[in-house]
Amino acid sequence: MFEFLFSIFGEFLLQIVVEAFFELGLHSLAEPFRRKRNPWLAATGYAVFGALLGALSLLVFPAHLVLNHFGQLANLLLAPVAAGLSMSALGAWRERRGQDALRIDSFSYGYLFALAFALVRFQFAS
C-alpha cells in the first residue's frame, strides 16, 4: 500500500515540478509579448507543450512510476486536477503580491498542460 501511494505521489510530483519550471520559464519569456492573445491558440499551445514535455520526461523516466494499471488510471484522472488546482493557487498568490499572472496560472490552462503531459506518459511509458 505504501509503495502504491509513493508511486502516485511521485508521478504527481513529476508533473508539478515540470509544470512549475515551465511556468517560471514562461514568465521570463513573456515580457515582450504582453498583449492578449487568442485563448484557443493559447490552449492549443499549452496542450502541445505539455505533450512535448511529457515525451521528454520519458527520456528521464521511461517507465511508469505507478506500477499497477488502476493506479495509472487514477493518476491520469487525478494528477491533472491537482496540478490545475496548484497552478490556480500559484496564480492567486502572484496576483495578491501584485505580480502578473500568465494563463498557465489558472486552473483550466494548468489542467490542460498537465493532462497532455499525463496522457503522453500514460500511453508511452513502459
Side-chain angles (χ1 to χ4, degrees), residues 34-54:
R34 282 290 174 206
R35 57 190 179 122
K36 293 289 182 186
R37 301 278 188 215
N38 182 344
W40 291 103
L41 185 60
T44 303
Y46 285 126
V48 168
F49 282 129
L52 286 173
L53 288 175

Side-chain angles (χ1 to χ4, degrees), residues 12-80:
F12 166 71
L13 189 62
L14 175 65
Q15 289 180 20
I16 290 295
V17 166
V18 168
E19 192 164 1
F21 279 121
F22 182 74
E23 189 264 349
L24 182 64
L26 283 180
H27 271 284
S28 66
L29 294 174
E31 194 60 38
F33 307 105
R34 282 290 174 206
R35 57 190 179 122
K36 293 289 182 186
R37 301 278 188 215
N38 182 344
W40 291 103
L41 185 60
T44 303
Y46 285 126
V48 168
F49 282 129
L52 286 173
L53 288 175
L56 286 175
S57 76
L58 292 170
L59 297 174
V60 180
F61 300 104
H64 284 286
L65 299 177
V66 179
L67 300 179
N68 65 19
H69 189 67
F70 174 74
Q72 293 167 5
L73 285 174
N75 181 66
L76 180 62
L77 297 174
L78 298 177

Side-chain angles (χ1 to χ4, degrees), residues 19 80 83-84 87 103-115:
E19 192 164 1
M87 294 308 293
R103 285 187 171 140
I104 199 167
D105 294 333
S106 67
F107 176 81
S108 57
Y109 289 108
Y111 172 82
L112 183 61
F113 180 92
L115 180 64

Side-chain angles (χ1 to χ4, degrees), residues 2-16 65-66 75 79:
F2 179 72
E3 205 173 279
F4 173 73
L5 291 175
F6 183 73
S7 61
I8 291 279
F9 180 72
E11 189 79 29
F12 166 71
L13 189 62
L14 175 65
Q15 289 180 20
I16 290 295
L65 299 177
V66 179
N75 181 66

Side-chain angles (χ1 to χ4, degrees), residues 85-107:
L85 290 172
S86 298
M87 294 308 293
S88 178
L90 179 63
W93 178 76
R94 285 189 182 280
E95 288 176 355
R96 279 194 310 272
R97 297 188 69 205
Q99 298 175 350
D100 290 335
L102 296 174
R103 285 187 171 140
I104 199 167
D105 294 333
S106 67
F107 176 81

